[in-house]
């Protein structure tokens, strides 16, 4: 994949030199962190550095870029990926009487990617959405609902009983581990935006790059171990949950209307002194 990216970079660089175009790059993944040892950070930085502006996923990724000699003046934080829903999509919400404590986890459910799921025995309901699940090795504590489709209505599915969307990686239930752990310290997983697009509060690893965003916006909880979810569920009240849910609705509105990308692009156009483009995206 990096060879394909290099070809694209080379074409862009040539166009920049020959035609004087200005380039804004948005980072979807940084393979030098995600696949440590396979790609030299200096090599990847070289290809990012010819951009006029680099849109970083979050503040922690920006710090990493700057520490690897990307000019701070050309870095803009995205903070959160937007998540577009089909115009006919509807999220079914719970009635006020429903106060059932649940976790959902969405993503690649293969043991190689989400090994912790095959070890975890939660004391509450947990629902899985995704692909590559090894069902004969999974605990019966889970409900299994297949692949989430953002273009289809949620009618008849069990989202309305779900309390929190979980962002977790690696093999351990005690902490995030391995390359996944390392990458979570710098990345903003797409599943976080998916949960928020559904109006779901979230639970994320305390050492992840998302932790500050979750805490500052009061849209969920940060944990060091999955066992801490039990204590959260024991202590949380309907009023506390309602307050968090209200904050989630604010972020949800931004996520589904593309406001995070619009804000980032507005900052990019300001840095590039292109006021007409900045006005055009408002």
């Amino acid at each position: 994949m990096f060879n394909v990216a290099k070809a694209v970079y080379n074409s862009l660089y040539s166009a920049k030199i020959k035609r004087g175009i200005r380039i804004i790059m948005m980072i979807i993944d940084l393979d030098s962190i995600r696949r440590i040892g396979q790609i030299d950070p200096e090599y990847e930085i070289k290809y990012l550095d010819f951009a006029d502006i680099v849109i970083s996923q979050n503040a922690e990724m920006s710090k990493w870029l700057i520490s690897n000699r990307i000019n701070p003046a050309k870095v803009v934080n995205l903070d959160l990926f937007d998540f577009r829903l089909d115009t006919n999509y509807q999220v079914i919400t719970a009635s006020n009487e429903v106060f059932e404590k649940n976790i959902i986890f969405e993503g690649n459910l293969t043991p190689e990617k989400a090994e912790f799921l095959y070890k975890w025995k939660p004391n509450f309901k947990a629902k899985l959405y995704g692909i590559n699940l090894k069902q004969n090795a999974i605990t019966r504590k889970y409900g299994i609902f297949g692949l989430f489709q953002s273009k289809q209505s949620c009618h008849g599915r069990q989202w309305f009983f779900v309390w929190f969307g979980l962002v977790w990686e690696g093999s351990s239930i005690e902490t995030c581990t391995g390359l996944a752990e390392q990458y979570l310290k710098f990345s903003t997983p797409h599943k976080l935006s998916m949960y928020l697009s559904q109006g779901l509060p979230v639970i994320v690893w305390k050492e992840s790059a998302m932790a500050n965003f979750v805490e500052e916006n009061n849209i969920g909880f940060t944990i060091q171990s999955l066992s801490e979810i039990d204590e959260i569920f024991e202590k949380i009240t309907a009023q506390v949950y309602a307050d968090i849910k209200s904050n989630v609705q604010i972020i949800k509105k931004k996520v589904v209307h593309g406001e995070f990308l619009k804000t980032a692009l507005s900052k990019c156009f300001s840095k590039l002194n292109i006021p007409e483009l900045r006005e055009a995206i408002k």
Side-chain angles (χ1 to χ4, degrees):
M1 288 300 293
F2 193 64
N3 286 333
V4 175
K6 283 195 297 183
V8 174
Y9 293 153
N10 290 336
S11 295
L12 287 173
Y13 183 74
S14 177
K16 180 177 181 178
I17 297 301
K18 294 178 180 178
R19 299 171 56 189
I21 67 171
R22 286 178 284 183
I23 297 171
I24 298 172
M25 287 189 183
M26 185 169 78
I27 297 174
I28 303 302
D29 275 311
L30 275 175
D31 282 344
S32 53
I33 303 177
R34 189 174 61 155
R35 297 170 178 167
I36 294 175
Q38 296 182 32
I39 297 175
D40 190 325
E42 187 173 339
Y43 195 54
E44 192 165 33
I45 286 290
K46 179 182 74 173
Y47 284 96
L48 290 171
D49 197 34
F50 75 76
D52 296 278
I53 303 289
V54 176
I55 300 178
S56 168
Q57 289 185 19
N58 54 61
E60 294 304 314
M61 183 176 283
S62 295
K63 290 177 186 176
W64 185 90
L65 291 169
I66 293 167
S67 71
N68 281 274
R69 297 190 292 279
I70 290 285
N71 184 349
K74 66 167 64 176
V75 178
V76 169
N77 292 340
L78 181 63
D79 291 327
L80 198 64
F81 287 109
D82 296 309
F83 194 94
R84 183 178 180 181
L85 297 176
D86 188 87
T87 53
N88 296 319
Y89 186 91
Q90 294 182 354
V91 178
I92 299 175
T93 57
S95 67
N96 292 333
E97 290 76 28
V98 175
F99 197 67
E100 186 171 309
K101 301 170 184 179
N102 289 265
I103 285 289
I104 85 158
F105 181 82
E106 181 275 339
N108 187 340
L109 307 178
T110 178
E112 290 73 25
K113 177 69 174 174
E115 186 179 348
F116 76 92
L117 287 174
Y118 298 82
K119 300 176 180 178
W120 192 25
K121 296 180 180 179
N123 297 316
F124 41 80
K125 292 185 178 180
K127 297 178 174 64
L128 306 181
Y129 289 80
I131 58 174
N132 299 324
L133 178 69
K134 189 178 180 181
Q135 293 198 36
N136 61 350
I138 207 77
T139 175
R140 292 186 180 181
K141 284 279 189 178
Y142 298 126
I144 301 166
F145 295 93
L147 186 64
F148 171 73
Q149 298 288 345
S150 63
K151 293 185 178 181
Q152 297 176 0
S153 170
C154 224
H155 182 70
R157 305 187 78 145
Q158 302 299 314
W159 289 91
F160 51 90
F161 281 143
V162 173
W163 261 59
F164 291 94
L166 176 66
V167 182
W168 197 263
E169 298 280 357
S171 61
S172 175
I173 63 174
E174 296 304 322
T175 190
C176 292
T177 57
L179 288 179
E181 166 212 21
Q182 179 70 18
Y183 198 47
L184 276 179
K185 290 180 177 179
F186 300 97
S187 67
T188 304
H190 196 247
K191 62 167 61 71
L192 179 65
S193 301
M194 192 212 71
Y195 296 146
L196 294 170
S197 77
Q198 302 300 297
L200 294 174
V202 295
I203 294 177
V204 306
W205 184 40
K206 190 180 290 290
E207 296 180 43
S208 70
M210 301 158 288
N212 284 341
F213 184 89
V214 170
E215 291 175 348
E216 289 172 1
N217 290 282
N218 191 24
I219 56 173
F221 295 93
T222 62
I223 58 172
Q224 188 63 47
S225 166
L226 291 177
S227 62
E228 295 174 34
I229 299 176
D230 287 318
E231 185 177 357
I232 290 171
F233 280 174
E234 286 173 8
K235 293 183 177 180
I236 197 167
T237 65
Q239 184 58 56
V240 168
Y241 182 68
D243 291 341
I244 293 173
K245 188 84 170 178
S246 178
N247 294 328
V248 169
Q249 293 303 311
I250 296 171
I251 304 299
K252 172 188 171 179
K253 185 177 180 180
K254 294 180 180 180
V255 165
V256 299
H257 288 98
E259 293 300 324
F260 285 94
L261 181 56
K262 287 179 183 178
T263 299
L265 287 174
S266 179
K267 293 177 181 177
C268 293
F269 297 145
S270 290
K271 286 178 176 286
L272 295 174
N273 193 25
I274 313 177
E276 63 274 18
L277 288 180
R278 185 181 180 188
E279 289 299 318
I281 63 171
K282 289 185 177 179

